[in-house]
Structures are given as structure tokens and as C-alpha cells.
Amino acid sequence: MTGPLLEFRNVVKNFGGVTALDDFSMTLAQSEILGLIGPNGSGKTTSFNVLTGIYAPSAGQVLFEGQELTGVNPRAVYEAGIVRTFQRSRLCLSLSIYDNIMIGDTSRLVRGLWSNLISRRALEKQLDVTQRQARDLVATFSDHLADRMEQPVGALPMIERRRIEICRALISGPRLLLLDEPSAGMTHDETHQLMDDILDVRARGDGLSIIIVEHEMGVIERITDRCIVLSYGRKIAEGTYAEVAADREVQNAYLGTD
Amino acid sequence: MTNTPLLQSDRARPWACAGAVILAAGLYGWALLMAEETWQVLSLLILAVVATGVAIKTGFVRRVERDWAASETRLNRLAFAVLIALILVLSGAHFALLMISTVLLYFVASLGLNIQFGFTGLVNFAGAAFFGAGAYTAAVLGTMPMIPPILILIAGGMVAMVISLPLLIPIVRTTGHYAAVVTIAFGVLFRTFLEVNEVLGGPQGLMVNSMKVFGWDFYDAPSVGGLDISFYVNYALLAAGLAALVFTLFRRLERSWIGLHMDAVRLDETAAACFGISVKRTKIQAFLLGNLILGVSGALYGMMISFIAPASFTFSDSLLLVSIVLLGGVGNPWGSAVAAVIVVLLPEKLQLLQEYRFLLFSVLVMLVLLFRPEGILSRQLRNFFPDRRSDA
């Protein structure tokens, strides 16, 4: 591997007078797990939204595998191989688990009216393949959940919804997975299970890189290779979890100075 | 959508309950169409309300839904056969056949709206305008003898689709209330345009030539074995065929990747975009397809009633179409079928209600939204290939 997988170069994002991301630069290596931490409002989710094309950056560049990915639309980001989960899980609650996960596989599905409505042979084949993949993916997390693929997502507890969100993100075989506060709204035990899940995903060894935004420091300590700490949109520290936890400026950002 | 497990029914005849309901509905339809006196109609209505209430309370509705999931194709065919039988049984009754055809065409129109609103979440308060565009197309093209009338139906849909093109910009850019206001404005503009346009007959409207198939005029009533057969039989059969065709396409759309993406766009645009779904393309597809269907049903409606005027395609008529979708159950075609019967038949059968019909429907829609927000029949989970379920 030559260059980094992902690179932010001096990215700025302003909302009116508020600077949510201020001259933010970072790199991510192939198959690395990077933790993005910082107090509320420090720009973690904003950096995800800039990366996935929901917001265009006010200045700076985003490069993915050496290609310019600055200010393109979310679809182009997805097609480049970047997928995400959301802080408040954004699933289609009235749809089945199958349907929700298959939404993640858009790039491989036929799009034309003819093949969707009239001659449905290809659609039927894709349905079989995609449903089997979705089921296998869910089964790596929970066999119990894999038996309930035709139930609506709205009836499931939070941890199962997170798992489905992660499956929806993984089914297209992405290069980079962005996890936005996967432990939000879950109990201690559930968080623990989910960490195991994420490590399982990584252990599959297909070179997937992960960026994780998280408030639960136990999660960050256990699964990340490296951390970046943000405060008021600026990067204030970078290194392993032990290094940044010992950093005086990081402690001040979290606890305040006197 | 309710949580109806798509499990194989364990009974010996997993279609028996639903089959009985279809036959009962056919019989009920016949009784309602033949009822002349107000007291007859009222007692039939009370019967329907009580039966529906009991069916919901005892879980019979669930059971029918389960039947339907288990043997869908068979039941759809039975429903179509019962409809055709009903048309043939009533072949001498002009008015009853006109009612059946009107219900069927409103049903088809509501399927168009359901693709827009039910699947994709696009509010369209100009349904009657697109319906009317189809009818006016039929009136204009009907005067040209070299155009085969089947083509006129398609042309009606195309014209409805083409006049909706300018609306795409606001539909794609705005959401919710804003898009709704734009469509209301369009509907009003459409009517005003017709009223001032002398070529299209102005406020007095236009005559529409009747349907012809291979040189056979639909107004030449056939006579079988000396029996008088209403010319409306032709229209009722054609409307039934159109309804079956559009229903099939509607179901296929729902059970396709496009349908899945429409749901995704309705439920969460941002998440949909993050998974490679083109929100714009999906909305455009839904809007144009819906208007095409509205236009085709309008064209046949125009030929059938043979005289159209701007007053038939007002904002109130658009609301009527929307209320069919809301009453029946957003996204459920069978719900729309039931609601189309209520909305079309009720005011015709109870003449004393005619004046108050909009009041009645507003109250009905409010009651349904209060007590059964998912509509009379709620939408079911997607089952891409229902007939394969048995071997899964």
C-alpha cells in the first residue's frame, strides 16, 4: 500500500458564524481502526457528514485512495466504497430486516424499469443472492436475529437495530466503515457485545478500515489502533489511546481548566 | 405496515377465509348496486360497518391477510372473476354498470397517487388535473378517426405526464408542505386554463367520442340471445381489464428494487442517499409514473361519460382522490379499492348525502386518521415473489 486510504487536508466547515471544523487534517491507513473523540459539538459528526457528502466543506480537500472526493454527492461517496451508520439509528422501521439491509446493496441491483417490472429474471436472481448475503451477515452477529429476517425492524431492541445498521453498511463490501456513536442508547452489556461484533468484522481480514466516533472510552480503548481528539473543530491530540488519555490539553478539553 | 408473519398457513385450505370474503363482497356489491330505497341502502351500510368492526375485533382481518399472503395469485384471480361475474350479472343495468366502471377508474387513479404518496411520500393535490388532462386528450384525439382509441388511452397518460414536467423542479427540490402547495396551485391553474380556452370548449366543456376497438363502437350495445345489454358493459369490462393491468404493475413495482428505493426515500432521504439511492431519480420516476396512470384512467373515464367540462376536474376532485388513498390505507391497493367504492358509491346511493358529500368524506378521513391511522387496510410487508413462498 502506497499512500493513505483516506486523507483530510485542511478541511474547514462553517455554519454561518460557527466553525464546526477548523483546518482539520488527518490520514487513515488501510485496515486501520481510528477513534475520533472529543466533547459534544467538537466536530466529530460534522467530519462524517463532510466525508459522506451530506455537507460540502467550506475549504480544504478530502482524498480517498488518492482520488479527490471533496464536495461530491453522497451517492458518489457510497460508490467509492465509504459507508456509515448514524448516531440516531436511521433505519426504515416499518420495513423488514431483509429490506433494510438490501437498501445497502444499491450499487449492485438492476435499476431499469423494464427489468424491475416486466422481465424480472435478473431481479429474482439478485434477490436470492442478496438475501442470502444479508442473512449470512446477520448470522455472524446473531443467529437468533438471522431467524427473524422477515420481521419489521421497528419491533427490535436498540442493539439489534445497530447490528442491522452495520449489516446494511457492510453488505456492499465497502473499503471504509464510519461508525457514529454505535453505543448510543445501549446498556453496558450491549455495548460490550457490540464491541465484540466490530472486532469480529475486522477479524474477517478483508482489509476494511473503520473510523469510530464514540463517547464510551472503554470502547475506544479496546478497539482502536489510534485516536484523534477534536475540540471546537480543531485537532488537539493524536496517538494511541494511552497517549491521548495522558495528554494535558485533552484532559483540559474534557474536564475544563481552572 | 403491520407485523403479519409471512408464515405458511397451517390450515388445509389457506385461502378459504379470504375466498369467502371475496364472494361475500361480490354479493354485497350486487345488493348495494341493486338497492333502490334509502332504507335498503342504509341497512346495507350498517351491515357493512358492523361486519367490518366484528372482523377487526375478532382478528378475522388478520386471518384473511394471512390467507392472502399464503395464496395471493389464486385469490387475486378469484377477485377478478367475481368482478367480471358481477358485471355480467348486471349487464342490463345502465346505472349500476356506470357506477362499477367509475369505481374501477377511480381505483386505477388512486393507484397512481399511491405510487407518488404511498411509496415515495410525494404529496399530489392535483390528481384531478392529471386525470382531466387524460380526459381532454381523449376528447381532442377522439375527433381524429385515424387514431386507434387504444392509442388514445396511452396518449392521455403521456399528456398527463408531459404537463407534469414543469412540476418536477419544485417536487424534487422541496419536500412536504411546500411541494403540496405547488401541486394545489397547479390544479387551480389547470382548471382556469380550461375555462378560458375556447378551443377546448371553455367552461361548457367538450364532447368525447366513444371507445372503438377494431371498428366496433362501444356505444353499439351488443344483444345476446335477445337480451338487452347495456353498452356500459363494454366500458365496465375494459375498466376491469385496465384495473387488473395497473394493479399487477403496481404490485410488481412495490416488489422491486425501485419500490424498495421509493420506500427508503420516503422514510429517510438522507440515509437513502448515503446508500447510493438517487433521491432525485426515484422521485421523478414516482411522480411521472403516477401521473401517467392518472392520465390513462382519465382518458377512459372521459370516453365513458362522453362529456367533460372543467368543473369535473376541480381541487375538490383532487381531494377526493387523496381521500381514497388515506381512507383505504396508504400504500395498500386493496384498501384503495374499498375506499373507492365508499367514495364513489355512497353519495350516489344516498341522494340525501349528495350535497354533503365533501363534509362526509372529511369527517370519515378524520375518523380514520384518529382511530385507524394506517387506513382501513394497512400495508403489508414486502414479499417480492409471493408465489415462491411455499418452497422457501
Side-chain angles (χ1 to χ4, degrees):
Chain A
M1 191 69 208
T2 45
L5 181 71
L6 174 75
E7 187 174 3
F8 270 53
R9 280 191 195 155
N10 312 98
V11 172
V12 179
K13 179 63 195 172
N14 298 313
F15 293 104
V18 181
T19 304
L21 271 185
D22 192 358
D23 203 26
F24 178 46
S25 296
M26 65 141 188
T27 59
L28 177 78
Q30 178 83 31
S31 22
E32 188 180 14
I33 299 189
L34 174 74
L36 211 51
I37 54 181
N40 284 325
S42 58
K44 305 180 299 286
T45 299
T46 304
S47 65
F48 274 12
N49 286 340
V50 166
L51 176 53
T52 51
I54 293 174
Y55 302 146
S58 312
Q61 271 184 307
V62 179
L63 298 168
F64 186 71
E65 297 182 306
Q67 303 285 315
E68 180 89 24
L69 208 66
T70 317
V72 299
N73 65 23
R75 204 167 99 228
V77 175
Y78 165 83
E79 271 155 16
I82 303 177
V83 292
R84 69 177 292 180
T85 68
F86 295 88
Q87 198 169 351
R88 292 175 53 227
S89 102
R90 297 177 84 151
L91 292 165
C92 302
L93 297 184
S94 53
L95 303 187
S96 69
I97 302 180
Y98 269 138
D99 282 3
N100 269 285
I101 297 177
M102 290 193 298
I103 285 172
D105 211 14
T106 310
S107 59
R108 279 191 288 183
L109 307 177
V110 288
R111 288 178 191 220
L113 268 180
W114 182 264
S115 39
N116 270 281
L117 299 188
I118 313 297
S119 170
R120 285 155 59 92
R121 196 71 57 77
L123 185 142
E124 195 170 354
K125 233 175 241 158
Q126 287 181 343
L127 180 75
D128 288 341
V129 172
T130 315
Q131 283 196 338
R132 199 174 51 239
Q133 277 180 349
R135 212 189 129 89
D136 291 347
L137 209 50
V138 170
T140 60
F141 292 144
S142 155
D143 284 329
H144 170 65
L145 198 58
D147 292 334
R148 302 163 67 185
M149 297 297 284
E150 299 200 338
Q151 291 190 14
V153 169
L156 300 173
M158 204 52 179
I159 179 159
E160 309 287 36
R161 292 191 198 178
R162 289 276 177 222
R163 285 171 164 163
I164 293 161
E165 253 203 307
I166 292 172
C167 291
R168 176 174 72 176
L170 289 178
I171 194 162
S172 57
R175 310 290 315 277
L176 170 60
L177 170 65
L178 311 174
L179 297 170
D180 196 349
E181 278 199 48
S183 78
M186 293 204 297
T187 65
H188 190 75
D189 286 347
E190 288 174 339
T191 307
H192 213 78
Q193 284 177 35
L194 197 76
M195 273 197 284
D196 292 339
D197 293 347
I198 295 168
L199 290 170
D200 282 351
V201 168
R202 192 200 191 184
R204 295 188 315 182
D206 44 10
L208 177 74
S209 307
I210 300 175
I211 304 181
I212 176 168
V213 163
E214 189 51 79
H215 278 303
E216 198 67 49
M217 287 308 142
V219 176
I220 293 289
E221 183 175 12
R222 184 161 159 219
I223 72 171
T224 60
D225 302 319
R226 189 161 58 97
C227 293
I228 288 177
V229 188
L230 287 171
S231 177
Y232 296 105
R234 295 182 144 274
K235 180 162 78 178
I236 58 168
E238 185 170 355
T240 64
Y241 176 74
E243 283 164 14
V244 299
D247 190 287
R248 175 56 56 88
E249 204 182 341
V250 173
Q251 290 170 0
N252 287 344
Y254 268 94
L255 304 171
T257 46
D258 25 43
Chain B
M1 292 173 216
T2 50
N3 172 16
T4 311
L6 294 169
L7 296 173
Q8 189 70 355
S9 186
D10 51 2
R11 286 169 295 139
R13 289 188 187 80
W15 36 264
C17 280
V21 168
I22 293 172
L23 293 176
L27 204 62
Y28 182 86
W30 173 79
L32 188 61
L33 286 165
M34 296 310 281
E36 301 277 347
E37 306 294 329
T38 306
W39 68 266
Q40 291 171 330
V41 177
L42 277 177
S43 24
L44 279 170
L45 281 182
I46 292 165
L47 175 69
V49 171
V50 170
T52 313
V54 169
I56 290 172
K57 277 276 173 285
T58 56
F60 187 71
V61 172
R62 277 279 165 76
R63 194 161 167 175
V64 171
E65 282 173 348
R66 225 168 31 234
D67 277 11
W68 220 288
S71 29
E72 195 182 300
T73 312
R74 190 194 299 238
L75 290 166
N76 284 347
R77 284 190 188 140
L78 176 65
F80 186 69
V82 168
L83 172 65
I84 299 297
L86 185 63
I87 292 170
L88 295 179
V89 166
L90 292 168
S91 61
H94 282 308
F95 186 69
L97 289 168
L98 175 65
M99 285 297 98
I100 291 177
S101 317
T102 309
V103 166
L104 285 170
L105 292 176
Y106 270 63
F107 166 60
V108 173
S110 75
L111 291 182
L113 275 189
N114 247 321
I115 293 173
Q116 298 173 338
F117 180 63
F119 291 173
T120 322
L122 300 173
V123 192
N124 180 359
F125 281 117
F130 300 119
F131 194 72
Y136 268 87
T137 308
V140 172
L141 294 184
T143 58
M144 306 172 186
M146 62 284 189
I147 303 177
I150 291 289
L151 271 191
I152 292 181
L153 289 187
I154 297 166
M158 297 305 257
V159 168
M161 206 162 83
V162 168
I163 66 162
S164 73
L165 286 177
L167 278 178
L168 283 179
I169 300 163
I171 286 283
V172 166
R173 285 204 184 154
T174 60
T175 49
H177 312 308
Y178 302 101
V181 169
V182 175
T183 60
I184 292 175
F186 183 84
V188 173
L189 272 175
F190 178 80
R191 189 190 170 185
T192 316
F193 168 77
L194 291 178
E195 278 177 347
V196 299
N197 191 317
E198 287 306 320
V199 179
L200 293 177
Q204 272 76 45
L206 280 179
M207 293 285 293
V208 191
N209 284 334
S210 57
M211 188 65 168
K212 290 185 193 68
V213 178
F214 302 121
W216 166 49
D217 193 316
F218 265 32
Y219 274 104
D220 294 338
S223 177
V224 179
L227 283 170
D228 274 342
I229 290 184
S230 164
F231 58 82
Y232 280 125
V233 168
N234 304 325
Y235 283 105
L237 290 176
L238 189 57
L242 181 67
L245 176 72
V246 175
F247 178 89
T248 308
L249 287 177
F250 179 90
R251 276 298 201 203
R252 286 188 164 203
L253 180 70
E254 180 187 2
R255 293 153 176 180
S256 71
W257 302 132
I258 298 179
L260 179 63
H261 293 169
M262 286 176 173
D263 279 336
V265 166
R266 180 185 81 250
L267 294 165
D268 193 333
E269 266 185 40
T270 309
C274 283
F275 289 99
I277 295 170
S278 169
V279 174
K280 217 186 261 180
R281 180 187 154 122
T282 307
K283 284 185 174 177
I284 291 173
Q285 268 175 342
F287 193 63
L288 293 185
L289 209 56
N291 293 336
L292 176 83
I293 292 172
L294 281 162
V296 171
S297 52
L300 186 54
Y301 181 76
M303 290 178 184
M304 180 180 75
I305 62 169
S306 78
F307 186 80
I308 52 171
S312 331
F313 311 109
T314 61
F315 179 55
S316 315
D317 297 291
S318 296
L319 286 182
L320 221 58
L321 287 173
V322 172
S323 64
I324 292 178
V325 173
L326 290 178
L327 269 182
V330 173
N332 186 326
W334 286 109
S336 292
V338 173
V341 172
I342 296 174
V343 166
V344 174
L345 226 50
L346 211 57
E348 293 295 342
K349 277 291 160 187
L350 286 175
Q351 288 295 332
L352 64 150
L353 283 180
Q354 191 66 277
E355 299 261 316
Y356 303 101
R357 61 184 190 141
F358 286 111
L359 181 72
L360 177 80
F361 295 141
S362 338
V363 173
L364 214 55
V365 168
M366 277 193 273
L367 286 177
V368 164
L369 291 183
L370 268 178
F371 296 108
R372 204 173 159 80
E374 72 274 22
I376 298 171
L377 294 172
S378 56
R379 188 166 166 197
Q380 304 294 300
L381 287 169
R382 192 186 328 273
N383 183 1
F384 281 84
F385 291 93
D387 296 330
R388 294 198 322 175
R389 186 56 50 201
S390 46
D391 51 67

